[in-house]
Amino acid sequence: MTTLYEEISTAIGGRTGQASTEDGKINVNLSKPKAAGGDGGDGVNPEQLFGCAYAACFSGALELLASKKRIELPSPVSVTATIGFCKDDDGAFLEATLDCYIPGVDVKTGENLINMAHEICPFSKATRDNITVTLNLMLDE
């Protein structure tokens, strides 16, 4: 294994604190949503940050695969991640739904790209067998 690069992030104060990256490119206040018993302040929550990161990584995997398979896309791929913070008798857990818009492809091609992206995306690999991930292909209307 070769580490290509590392990023350093720090959170202080848990879900109602502050999170930042060592290089200063991210520096955000954290707030606990009202639905989770918080005050719903103006900060972000970890699920939002995770959703943004997962969506970006997954859309990058889709575009990489389209390029490798010589599938020309008329516009960029977009992925919307919905991250659910759930609770059961064993405690809290996450679930994810990825709505993938891949312009200019048919259903079979789109579904194949999504399934292959789920195999190679580092976030999908990290969540595999740990959280439920639902993949949806969103078509032109």
Side-chain angles (χ1 to χ4, degrees):
M1 178 184 86
T2 301
T3 301
L4 300 177
Y5 66 92
E6 294 179 327
E7 298 294 343
I8 300 172
S9 302
T10 302
I12 300 169
R15 290 181 166 271
T16 57
Q18 185 266 340
S20 62
T21 55
E22 183 180 57
D23 63 8
K25 291 182 179 179
I26 297 175
N27 188 355
V28 296
N29 291 323
L30 301 172
S31 295
K32 193 173 186 181
K34 286 183 180 183
D39 67 0
D42 63 357
V44 299
N45 63 62
E47 292 73 33
Q48 290 171 312
L49 295 169
F50 177 69
C52 287
Y54 199 171
C57 190
F58 200 87
S59 64
L62 285 168
E63 289 181 346
L64 174 68
L65 287 167
S67 174
K68 283 186 174 185
K69 296 203 167 286
R70 302 182 197 279
I71 298 169
E72 224 174 293
L73 303 174
S75 58
V77 167
S78 73
V79 175
T80 299
T82 302
I83 306 300
F85 187 88
C86 308
K87 184 179 176 186
D88 63 12
D89 292 339
D90 294 327
F93 63 95
L94 299 178
E95 64 183 10
T97 300
L98 302 179
D99 293 328
C100 306
Y101 174 66
I102 309 170
V105 299
D106 59 77
V107 172
K108 183 179 178 184
T109 301
E111 287 177 349
N112 285 338
L113 285 172
I114 289 170
N115 289 327
M116 287 186 295
H118 193 49
E119 293 300 314
I120 68 165
C121 171
F123 277 74
S124 289
K125 288 179 179 181
T127 60
R128 187 161 291 121
D129 299 324
N130 292 311
I131 71 171
T132 299
V133 177
T134 302
L135 305 172
N136 296 319
L137 174 62
M138 309 307 287
L139 299 174
D140 292 323
E141 296 191 18

